[in-house]
Amino acid sequence: MEQSEVLKRVIGILTEAGEMQRHAEEDAGGDPDAGENMVTTLLNETMPHIAIPSDATVEEMAALVGREVGGAVEQLVGAFTLAFIALAQIHDTGQEDVTSADVLQDLALRAEELSSGEEGPEGPSPA
């Protein structure tokens, strides 16, 4: 999966988590397993399917799984880190007119630009 697609999925999870939090604060209820389901879906989509040869040794199997899973984990950590930094920068500057949803939307647009092959500015904009 392309990094921009992973980033868009992470943004979706963070956006949905924010909505779930708002609903919980309003006692609107909702599906308590929705967040867990989203994360499970993301992991299923980003983790590689690994074909392990039947004659592979334990060491070869560990190296293969580590190499294949390591790249997917790096993508996920990178996407969550980028989203965190974008949100933290806006928070730390005290920009009260910019919501977390605004920041995530801007980040999603930037991810779309990346997947289109366009080059966007580095880092989040204040929206």
Side-chain angles (χ1 to χ4, degrees), residues 2 6 26 36-37 42 45-49 53 58 62 73 79 82 99 102 107 117 120:
E2 294 291 322
V6 173
E26 298 169 358
E36 185 177 307
N37 294 338
L42 176 67
E45 292 173 350
T46 55
M47 289 297 131
H49 298 277
V58 172
V73 169
L82 183 59
T99 67
D102 294 335
L107 196 54

Tab-separated table of all heavy atoms in Angstrom, residues 2 6 26 36-37 42 45-49 53 58 62 73 79 82 99 102 107 117 120:
chain	number	residue	atom	x	y	z
A	2	GLU	N	0.534	2.222	-0.806
A	2	GLU	CA	1.296	3.462	-0.892
A	2	GLU	C	1.219	4.226	0.429
A	2	GLU	O	0.209	4.172	1.126
A	2	GLU	CB	0.749	4.346	-2.009
A	2	GLU	CG	0.928	3.767	-3.386
A	2	GLU	CD	2.381	3.734	-3.820
A	2	GLU	OE1	3.122	4.684	-3.502
A	2	GLU	OE2	2.770	2.748	-4.457
A	6	VAL	N	-1.907	4.938	3.197
A	6	VAL	CA	-1.833	4.633	4.629
A	6	VAL	C	-2.144	5.892	5.432
A	6	VAL	O	-2.912	5.852	6.400
A	6	VAL	CB	-0.442	4.065	5.012
A	6	VAL	CG1	-0.312	3.903	6.522
A	6	VAL	CG2	-0.201	2.732	4.316
A	26	GLU	N	-21.473	13.589	24.450
A	26	GLU	CA	-22.879	13.992	24.348
A	26	GLU	C	-23.822	12.857	24.760
A	26	GLU	O	-25.028	13.000	24.653
A	26	GLU	CB	-23.187	14.408	22.910
A	26	GLU	CG	-22.400	15.596	22.431
A	26	GLU	CD	-22.524	15.807	20.927
A	26	GLU	OE1	-23.202	14.999	20.253
A	26	GLU	OE2	-21.949	16.783	20.423
A	36	GLU	N	-12.176	-0.137	17.288
A	36	GLU	CA	-11.412	-1.383	17.218
A	36	GLU	C	-11.527	-1.994	15.834
A	36	GLU	O	-10.546	-2.479	15.275
A	36	GLU	CB	-11.953	-2.351	18.277
A	36	GLU	CG	-11.177	-3.638	18.382
A	36	GLU	CD	-11.723	-4.515	19.510
A	36	GLU	OE1	-11.836	-4.021	20.635
A	36	GLU	OE2	-12.037	-5.676	19.220
A	37	ASN	N	-12.724	-1.956	15.255
A	37	ASN	CA	-12.927	-2.506	13.918
A	37	ASN	C	-12.133	-1.736	12.871
A	37	ASN	O	-11.588	-2.334	11.939
A	37	ASN	CB	-14.417	-2.504	13.553
A	37	ASN	CG	-15.224	-3.450	14.420
A	37	ASN	OD1	-14.699	-4.386	15.001
A	37	ASN	ND2	-16.512	-3.176	14.523
A	42	LEU	N	-7.531	-1.539	9.164
A	42	LEU	CA	-6.297	-0.902	8.718
A	42	LEU	C	-5.135	-1.888	8.770
A	42	LEU	O	-4.349	-1.987	7.820
A	42	LEU	CB	-5.985	0.330	9.568
A	42	LEU	CG	-4.663	1.032	9.255
A	42	LEU	CD1	-4.698	1.658	7.866
A	42	LEU	CD2	-4.349	2.083	10.299
A	45	GLU	N	-5.324	-4.432	6.021
A	45	GLU	CA	-5.030	-3.874	4.710
A	45	GLU	C	-3.560	-3.515	4.532
A	45	GLU	O	-3.051	-3.543	3.419
A	45	GLU	CB	-5.892	-2.639	4.458
A	45	GLU	CG	-7.354	-2.973	4.297
A	45	GLU	CD	-8.238	-1.747	4.218
A	45	GLU	OE1	-7.750	-0.618	4.466
A	45	GLU	OE2	-9.426	-1.927	3.915
A	46	THR	N	-2.881	-3.150	5.598
A	46	THR	CA	-1.501	-2.690	5.462
A	46	THR	C	-0.473	-3.787	5.711
A	46	THR	O	0.640	-3.693	5.195
A	46	THR	CB	-1.200	-1.514	6.417
A	46	THR	OG1	-1.509	-1.892	7.744
A	46	THR	CG2	-1.983	-0.286	6.027
A	47	MET	N	-0.830	-4.781	6.482
A	47	MET	CA	0.133	-5.852	6.738
A	47	MET	C	0.224	-6.763	5.521
A	47	MET	O	-0.784	-7.125	4.924
A	47	MET	CB	-0.274	-6.673	7.963
A	47	MET	CG	-0.117	-5.941	9.277
A	47	MET	SD	1.597	-5.514	9.618
A	47	MET	CE	1.412	-3.806	10.050
A	48	PRO	N	1.436	-7.119	5.137
A	48	PRO	CA	1.617	-7.950	3.946
A	48	PRO	C	1.180	-9.396	4.197
A	48	PRO	O	1.169	-9.872	5.334
A	48	PRO	CB	3.123	-7.878	3.702
A	48	PRO	CG	3.701	-7.635	5.058
A	48	PRO	CD	2.696	-6.778	5.783
A	49	HIS	N	0.807	-10.037	3.121
A	49	HIS	CA	0.546	-11.475	3.177
A	49	HIS	C	1.873	-12.141	2.823
A	49	HIS	O	2.448	-11.871	1.773
A	49	HIS	CB	-0.549	-11.867	2.191
A	49	HIS	CG	-1.851	-11.205	2.507
A	49	HIS	ND1	-2.720	-11.693	3.442
A	49	HIS	CD2	-2.409	-10.072	2.034
A	49	HIS	CE1	-3.763	-10.901	3.533
A	49	HIS	NE2	-3.600	-9.895	2.686
A	53	PRO	N	8.217	-20.377	2.643
A	53	PRO	CA	8.528	-21.687	2.063
A	53	PRO	C	8.463	-22.786	3.132
A	53	PRO	O	8.839	-22.570	4.284
A	53	PRO	CB	9.958	-21.531	1.538
A	53	PRO	CG	10.187	-20.056	1.452
A	53	PRO	CD	9.297	-19.423	2.475
A	58	VAL	N	13.719	-21.643	11.062
A	58	VAL	CA	13.155	-20.654	11.969
A	58	VAL	C	13.821	-19.293	11.749
A	58	VAL	O	13.145	-18.259	11.710
A	58	VAL	CB	13.307	-21.110	13.441
A	58	VAL	CG1	12.896	-20.017	14.394
A	58	VAL	CG2	12.528	-22.383	13.684
A	62	ALA	N	11.912	-15.967	10.514
A	62	ALA	CA	11.945	-14.744	11.321
A	62	ALA	C	12.461	-13.570	10.497
A	62	ALA	O	11.911	-12.466	10.564
A	62	ALA	CB	12.810	-14.944	12.557
A	73	VAL	N	4.926	-1.679	9.278
A	73	VAL	CA	4.906	-1.006	10.574
A	73	VAL	C	5.527	0.384	10.438
A	73	VAL	O	5.016	1.360	11.008
A	73	VAL	CB	5.622	-1.843	11.652
A	73	VAL	CG1	5.838	-1.051	12.929
A	73	VAL	CG2	4.836	-3.118	11.937
A	79	ALA	N	2.826	7.461	9.373
A	79	ALA	CA	1.550	8.157	9.160
A	79	ALA	C	1.000	8.711	10.470
A	79	ALA	O	0.559	9.866	10.527
A	79	ALA	CB	0.542	7.213	8.509
A	82	LEU	N	3.203	11.676	11.544
A	82	LEU	CA	2.922	12.882	10.759
A	82	LEU	C	1.631	13.548	11.230
A	82	LEU	O	1.581	14.766	11.404
A	82	LEU	CB	2.840	12.534	9.278
A	82	LEU	CG	2.622	13.705	8.330
A	82	LEU	CD1	3.742	14.730	8.449
A	82	LEU	CD2	2.511	13.201	6.900
A	99	THR	N	-9.496	23.884	14.111
A	99	THR	CA	-9.870	22.680	14.850
A	99	THR	C	-8.999	21.503	14.427
A	99	THR	O	-8.333	21.543	13.383
A	99	THR	CB	-11.345	22.305	14.574
A	99	THR	OG1	-11.473	21.918	13.198
A	99	THR	CG2	-12.280	23.468	14.893
A	102	ASP	N	-9.999	20.448	11.074
A	102	ASP	CA	-9.410	21.274	10.014
A	102	ASP	C	-8.003	20.778	9.670
A	102	ASP	O	-7.630	20.679	8.497
A	102	ASP	CB	-9.313	22.742	10.445
A	102	ASP	CG	-10.654	23.409	10.630
A	102	ASP	OD1	-11.649	22.969	10.021
A	102	ASP	OD2	-10.697	24.403	11.405
A	107	LEU	N	-4.357	17.788	6.063
A	107	LEU	CA	-3.403	16.699	5.906
A	107	LEU	C	-3.906	15.685	4.876
A	107	LEU	O	-3.128	15.176	4.064
A	107	LEU	CB	-3.143	16.033	7.261
A	107	LEU	CG	-1.939	15.133	7.397
A	107	LEU	CD1	-0.661	15.830	6.965
A	107	LEU	CD2	-1.818	14.653	8.834
A	117	GLY	N	0.937	12.541	-7.341
A	117	GLY	CA	2.266	12.836	-7.850
A	117	GLY	C	2.631	14.299	-7.772
A	117	GLY	O	3.695	14.699	-8.206
A	120	GLY	N	3.551	18.910	-2.615
A	120	GLY	CA	2.962	19.916	-1.748
A	120	GLY	C	4.003	20.469	-0.819
A	120	GLY	O	5.106	19.945	-0.719
